[in-house]
Amino acid sequence: MNFVDRVLLFHSRPSVVRFRLKCIHYNDRIGAPEFDTLRIDGWIRAVMWHSIQELELDITESDINLEFLPASLFTCETLVVLKLCLVSGYDSFEFPSKVCLPRLKILHICVGFSNAESVERMFLVAQFLRI
């Protein structure tokens, strides 16, 4: 994890084209490290600050609240591709109340939604995507 911190902190180019993060963690594994949501939040914010174009998050955690994702992820003006696979034993995912991804062309979603309003917001974003 420290390696990723250093790469993102000292990244000298103005943009990051693609960032993929896959985290799988189950608390029942003996000796498994804690799932560091603050660090992952920081990584996501860092790549957004570097004008990320393609973001893929594959997060599987048996005991985590998915609300740690920054709401600003869903208003990122530079995202063209967003792939979310979010699996949690804790709860379902809910899109933030404000979703505006003006350059988004590709959206892959593999999540459980917590309510109908969240699904509606997802489809409002999807109406601007290429088919």
Side-chain angles (χ1 to χ4, degrees):
M1 285 198 226
N2 291 332
F3 172 76
V4 178
D5 290 338
R6 285 192 304 274
V7 168
L8 292 176
L9 183 62
F10 297 113
H11 183 76
S12 60
R13 295 190 177 163
S15 67
V16 172
V17 175
R18 182 179 300 123
F19 183 75
R20 293 181 181 155
L21 178 64
K22 183 171 186 167
C23 298
I24 299 174
H25 183 263
Y26 297 98
N27 284 340
D28 56 354
R29 286 186 11 215
I30 296 173
E34 281 294 312
F35 194 83
D36 193 344
T37 57
L38 289 176
R39 183 171 261 168
I40 294 170
D41 172 82
W43 294 344
I44 294 169
R45 289 176 190 274
V47 296
M48 288 189 323
W49 187 76
H50 285 291
S51 303
I52 187 72
Q53 294 176 27
E54 299 179 23
L55 180 62
E56 182 175 342
L57 298 176
D58 186 348
I59 299 175
T60 301
E61 166 60 57
S62 63
D63 190 28
I64 189 173
N65 187 331
L66 295 173
E67 293 178 3
F68 77 90
L69 293 173
S72 57
L73 171 63
F74 301 95
T75 58
C76 182
E77 295 183 3
T78 60
L79 267 178
V80 177
V81 176
L82 178 59
K83 297 179 180 181
L84 296 176
C85 185
L86 306 171
V87 179
S88 170
Y90 185 82
D91 62 359
S92 300
F93 178 73
E94 183 173 337
F95 267 90
S97 58
K98 182 179 180 192
V99 178
C100 181
L101 300 163
R103 296 190 60 207
L104 194 68
K105 300 293 181 205
I106 298 172
L107 176 65
H108 291 196
I109 299 178
C110 175
V111 297
F113 291 104
S114 60
N115 61 47
E117 289 175 5
S118 188
V119 175
E120 271 183 40
R121 285 192 293 273
M122 188 270 300
F123 281 115
L124 286 174
V125 170
Q127 71 182 336
F128 298 107
L129 303 177
R130 286 189 291 195
I131 297 176

